[in-house]
Amino acid sequence: MESFKTTYTEKCRDFLCEPIKPLLDALEAAIARGVVLSTIKLNGNSKDLFNKRVEYMQVFALSEALHDNNTVTDLDLSFNNIDDAGVATIARLMKFNKSIRRISLQGNSIGSDGATKLAESLAEAGGGGGGVEVLNLNFNPIGEGGGQEIAKMLRNNDTLKILDLGNTELGMKSLVSIATSLNEVNRTLVYLDVENPRLYSVQEEGTLHFSRCLAVNTALKAVKLGKHDMRDQGCLTLVSYGMVNNMTLTTLDLRCNVLSEESGPHLARLIIENSALTTLALPSNNIKDNGCVHVAEALPHNHTLTSLDMSYNHIEEKGLLALAEGMRKNTSVRISSKTVACLSDDNTHTVDT
């Protein structure tokens, strides 16, 4: 750690930038304890950095210092002032560093060009230098261009396991490209967040392509499709062509869509016929009592689901009573959100609306 600290301070001097104090403090603490610093956590929303977030030249100095480092495995630079120029230095680092496995760049200002640089590094043999496994780009405006480059990368990368692209201004073309890559080639990724894309069509092409993907992809364990403007027909497609044929996905998140009570039978079929799903998130839709009754009546036929979120779905007494009855017959599932106690013969269950 002493050599890394020396290299880092020298790089800061070379690039005429101020060393990041929380990093120096962490290095000094590690040296004092005689331990290795494996995690660099420099999230800009922390107390220490909130008013002094990491800037471009500081990223440059840090990346250069980490070039030959073999101890750091986790790099958190979320919520800073990193733009395309700054992330280009991180992309270059990824080509050479042999130890970094997890990178969080959430909440920065990375656009299409920056995402392209990251994708190029991840597409190289071995997923870059040491094989990055986790990449968080949530809340970065990478847009259609960046999303399509990420999709191309997924055809070549065999190390990335967790990819967070939520709130990144993806469009329909990039969604379709990502789903197609996961359908045709990639069998490494296990977690994908593509929440809140920019969609201007009601044709739900993205839902169709993700349905095809889920029908054949046996690697994915969790998919987040919140805020996709998914409607009842999309729910039918996702269930009928995707989820009833998938026996490996354990988490499906459909929050903040436009599902109505007409989706109730489709969701019931999902619960009855899918034997792998453990978590189903449906908050902030419009499923109402009638849709909720269908879901509740399916619960006794399922033996794997443990978490069901139906909060903010305009569920009233009829739906709550149905859920209570469903939980009376299936004591393994927990239904979360706003709490109402429902007494069964010998248990107290929690039902949330």
Side-chain angles (χ1 to χ4, degrees), residues 214-283:
L214 291 173
V216 299
N217 187 298
T218 57
L220 283 168
K221 302 298 181 185
V223 174
K224 299 184 74 172
L225 300 175
K227 299 183 180 180
H228 273 234
D229 201 28
M230 187 185 298
R231 301 167 189 271
D232 298 324
Q233 183 61 42
C235 182
L236 171 61
T237 300
L238 186 67
V239 172
S240 300
Y241 295 100
M243 290 304 299
V244 297
N245 297 308
N246 183 300
M247 294 301 157
T248 52
L249 194 79
T250 58
T251 298
L252 179 63
D253 193 326
L254 301 177
R255 70 185 61 231
C256 303
N257 279 294
V258 201
L259 306 184
S260 77
E261 58 190 1
E262 298 298 323
S263 287
H266 315 321
L267 295 169
R269 182 185 178 192
L270 166 63
I271 291 170
I272 293 171
E273 296 188 26
N274 184 286
S275 60
L277 209 62
T278 60
T279 301
L280 178 60
L282 301 167

Side-chain angles (χ1 to χ4, degrees), residues 64-101:
E64 288 293 306
L66 286 169
H67 191 283
D68 296 317
N69 177 275
N70 60 5
T71 62
V72 174
T73 58
D74 294 71
L75 179 60
D76 185 349
L77 290 167
S78 56
F79 302 105
N80 283 295
N81 296 321
I82 301 173
D83 57 10
D84 287 344
V87 83
T89 68
I90 297 172
R92 180 176 179 275
L93 168 66
M94 289 163 59
K95 292 183 179 181
F96 300 100
N97 182 279
K98 304 296 183 184
S99 63
I100 295 176
R101 296 290 182 269

Side-chain angles (χ1 to χ4, degrees), residues 259-315:
L259 306 184
S260 77
E261 58 190 1
E262 298 298 323
S263 287
H266 315 321
L267 295 169
R269 182 185 178 192
L270 166 63
I271 291 170
I272 293 171
E273 296 188 26
N274 184 286
S275 60
L277 209 62
T278 60
T279 301
L280 178 60
L282 301 167
S284 299
N285 280 281
N286 195 31
I287 296 171
K288 295 185 177 179
D289 278 349
N290 289 338
C292 182
V293 168
H294 284 285
V295 171
E297 291 177 346
L299 291 178
H301 304 282
N302 182 286
H303 304 289
T304 56
L305 195 68
T306 57
S307 176
L308 174 64
D309 188 348
M310 296 189 68
S311 54
Y312 304 105
N313 268 285
H314 305 100
I315 298 170

Side-chain angles (χ1 to χ4, degrees), residues 25-89:
D25 292 344
L27 286 169
E28 289 170 0
I31 292 168
R33 297 195 308 270
V35 297
V36 170
L37 184 67
S38 61
T39 299
I40 293 180
K41 189 170 179 62
L42 300 172
N43 51 306
N45 58 347
S46 65
K47 180 181 177 180
D48 292 333
L49 289 172
F50 191 81
N51 294 314
K52 203 168 188 179
R53 307 200 183 207
V54 178
E55 303 285 351
Y56 165 64
M57 292 308 296
Q58 292 175 311
V59 175
F60 205 144
L62 176 59
S63 296
E64 288 293 306
L66 286 169
H67 191 283
D68 296 317
N69 177 275
N70 60 5
T71 62
V72 174
T73 58
D74 294 71
L75 179 60
D76 185 349
L77 290 167
S78 56
F79 302 105
N80 283 295
N81 296 321
I82 301 173
D83 57 10
D84 287 344
V87 83
T89 68

